[in-house]
Amino acid sequence: MFEDETMVQFVIKTSKFCNLRCRYCYEYPELGNRQAILPEQLDVMYHHIANYYQNFDQPTYIDFVWHGGEPLLQKPDFYWKTFERQKEIFGELAPYVKNSVQTNLTVLNPERINLLKYGFDSVGVSIDLFGGLRVDQSGTDSVSTVLDNLDKLRDAQIPYGCITVLTQLNLPYLKEIYQFYEQMNVSFRLLPLFKGAFDNQHQGFEITAQEVLKAFCQLVDFWLESEDIVMVKPIVEHMEQILRHYTPHAQPIFYDKREQESVYLVNTNGEVYSYADAYEGLSHGNIFTTSLAELVAGEAHQKVIEQAESRMVATCSQCPYFGSCSGYPVAEGSLEYNEFDETGAIRCIVSQGTLAHIEKRFKQAGIINPETGELTLDPISFSKTPAALDCPV
Ligand code: SF4
């Protein structure tokens, strides 16, 4: 991707149907619902998206992230046909269209391996390694099945990244989790437990913002001590931000949701949400019936933009890292990783705290001269490596 190109992700809830019953799943009440988005609805959505982005001066990469439920429970033909329709509908924009999938990787056969290898552009696998929360309907832990299937992906030479959800139950195994990915030479995102589908769903494995911060700081230290480079998100992104912070005359970056939103979530019924507000009753409208241009300009979308901007003004404008960090974590991040002050403004516990920890460690390691603030390594060569990696969602 070139520097002046941008990317937008559409996280598509293909169907809520799933063979697992992960105890923290925010789709939990709907996991038995087999209803899937219809091919005709996808066609309408593609037309709306293509019409919108073809008017942009700069090319925009459009990444469809197929999500669920378990997206691989759909027959492979569902995806092969929709990939063909994308080519027809997007026309000149088709080379900019990518498809990713986020799977629990419990259902794999030769046809699905073929689909992952030749159909999707990137594969994300959800596996927590410890904690026993990713179970099937009988309560059996899925981890051994997923590990077997990861071997099959490796045998088939299919690259993948992983997402591990951080909970109170796998927090004590952080070092083992890091070492697993280090030995496998696989990138991963450590994703703190997100809001559930109902009250008390997370009882027994909840995690506080302070615990998440501590875990992220430990990951920073594992990364710095490691001989091999493990692409662990969001740590490498935060390291890039600190390097930017100390790079003379670096162009500041600010998240501009009004100019261009970077992630939309499309529910099975076509309702579109910003990532921060998914399912909170703040739908921008329905992309199966309404053009994307109308949704973007619509009252509901303008309201969530104003809310995100207010959060950034209240919190990020006070932050020493604003401009190196774009403010995205406060604008769009999961707000439960933060705390609120007496005025109701967010205290950006996790992102700001992790940045401060990296800054301290970089000074201790001499990567940043603690006296002069000068960088002692070439920020470009450092930043290229992590930026090349991307894990879906
Ligand atoms: S670290 Fe947090 S408060 Fe600072 S700019 Fe980033 S999101 Fe905003």
Side-chain angles (χ1 to χ4, degrees):
M1 201 158 115
F2 302 106
E3 249 177 40
D4 54 354
E5 290 167 346
T6 51
M7 186 172 93
V8 60
Q9 286 187 321
F10 288 87
V11 177
I12 310 292
K13 292 283 173 178
T14 321
S15 159
K16 304 296 174 81
F17 188 55
C18 192
N19 56 328
L20 294 189
R21 293 293 181 274
C22 299
R23 288 178 52 202
Y24 49 63
C25 182
Y26 61 90
E27 303 287 9
Y28 204 93
E30 294 202 68
L31 295 173
N33 184 353
R34 288 176 181 268
Q35 191 187 343
I37 294 186
L38 299 172
E40 309 84 82
Q41 293 173 317
L42 288 173
D43 279 8
V44 175
M45 180 183 77
Y46 295 149
H47 277 294
H48 286 157
I49 293 172
N51 288 344
Y52 183 72
Y53 287 100
Q54 73 190 7
N55 295 323
F56 279 41
D57 294 337
Q58 301 292 343
T60 301
Y61 275 92
I62 301 165
D63 187 16
F64 291 105
V65 183
W66 299 89
H67 225 270
E70 170 46 39
L72 290 187
L73 291 181
Q74 303 306 311
K75 292 195 172 127
D77 208 37
F78 171 88
Y79 293 104
W80 288 119
K81 282 188 174 149
T82 209
F83 295 158
E84 277 310 306
R85 291 295 294 150
Q86 286 176 350
K87 282 186 202 136
E88 289 161 25
I89 293 168
F90 281 92
E92 284 181 3
L93 288 183
Y96 295 97
V97 174
K98 305 285 170 212
N99 289 282
S100 312
V101 64
Q102 186 63 36
T103 171
N104 65 32
L105 207 69
T106 53
V107 183
L108 209 55
N109 58 14
E111 292 73 31
R112 288 182 170 85
I113 288 177
N114 193 48
L115 176 70
L116 293 177
K117 182 157 181 153
Y118 299 109
F120 289 107
D121 298 287
S122 69
V123 177
V125 178
S126 302
I127 179 170
D128 294 350
L129 295 166
F130 299 94
L133 293 173
R134 300 188 61 82
V135 293
D136 65 15
Q137 277 168 302
S138 70
T140 306
D141 194 342
S142 63
V143 70
S144 60
T145 305
V146 183
L147 289 171
D148 287 348
N149 285 336
L150 286 178
D151 287 342
K152 289 180 192 158
L153 294 193
R154 185 158 286 239
D155 292 346
Q157 299 184 316
I158 299 170
Y160 60 87
C162 290
I163 289 181
T164 292
V165 174
L166 181 68
T167 68
Q168 199 60 248
L169 301 188
N170 61 3
L171 186 60
Y173 300 96
L174 201 58
K175 180 90 183 176
E176 286 83 352
I177 291 169
Y178 185 87
Q179 286 172 335
F180 171 83
Y181 290 115
E182 185 181 36
Q183 281 159 17
M184 298 278 285
N185 192 21
V186 163
S187 63
F188 76 105
R189 177 180 285 280
L190 192 71
L191 183 66
L193 184 67
F194 31 81
K195 201 161 30 176
F198 48 85
D199 288 347
N200 300 328
Q201 186 181 1
H202 294 163
Q203 205 165 19
F205 50 90
E206 274 164 323
I207 187 161
T208 66
Q210 294 293 349
E211 287 169 326
V212 173
L213 171 60
K214 193 169 167 209
F216 280 11
C217 292
Q218 282 180 293
L219 277 186
V220 170
D221 293 349
F222 297 155
W223 195 95
L224 288 170
E225 287 159 11
S226 173
E227 305 234 318
D228 302 309
I229 290 190
V230 184
M231 294 307 168
V232 44
K233 284 188 171 184
I235 303 306
V236 289
E237 296 159 325
H238 289 324
M239 287 182 173
E240 277 191 295
Q241 288 160 356
I242 287 299
L243 292 178
R244 176 182 287 271
H245 192 63
Y246 280 90
T247 300
H249 315 299
Q251 190 72 20
I253 43 164
F254 299 103
Y255 178 56
D256 190 347
K257 187 177 170 82
R258 197 169 286 279
E259 176 70 20
Q260 193 181 0
E261 184 125 6
S262 52
V263 184
Y264 292 103
L265 188 144
V266 181
N267 206 354
T268 42
N269 58 5
E271 295 293 318
V272 176
Y273 299 86
S274 292
Y275 199 67
D277 314 304
Y279 307 161
E280 294 284 339
L282 293 169
S283 166
H284 310 340
N286 195 302
I287 200 161
F288 297 162
T289 57
T290 314
S291 75
L292 184 55
E294 282 177 77
L295 295 182
V296 169
E299 206 179 311
H301 188 229
Q302 295 307 308
K303 192 170 161 199
V304 295
I305 289 173
E306 281 163 25
Q307 290 172 349
E309 287 175 345
S310 304
R311 288 196 288 271
M312 285 172 70
V313 167
T315 302
C316 300
S317 57
Q318 315 295 323
C319 174
Y321 304 111
F322 195 33
S324 305
C325 170
S326 68
Y328 186 91
V330 159
E332 299 284 3
S334 290
L335 303 177
E336 61 265 33
Y337 312 152
N338 297 297
E339 293 171 0
F340 295 87
D341 68 16
E342 53 293 340
T343 68
I346 290 170
R347 291 175 60 223
C348 178
I349 301 289
V350 176
S351 296
Q352 199 181 84
T354 307
L355 288 166
H357 183 76
I358 293 168
E359 185 179 32
K360 182 174 84 183
R361 287 288 188 253
F362 277 9
K363 285 184 178 170
Q364 287 168 340
I367 294 169
I368 297 165
N369 183 320
E371 306 298 327
T372 64
E374 275 177 86
L375 278 176
T376 57
L377 58 71
D378 171 11
I380 305 296
S381 65
F382 181 89
S383 66
K384 282 287 178 200
T385 318
L389 176 271
D390 212 346
C391 217
V393 189

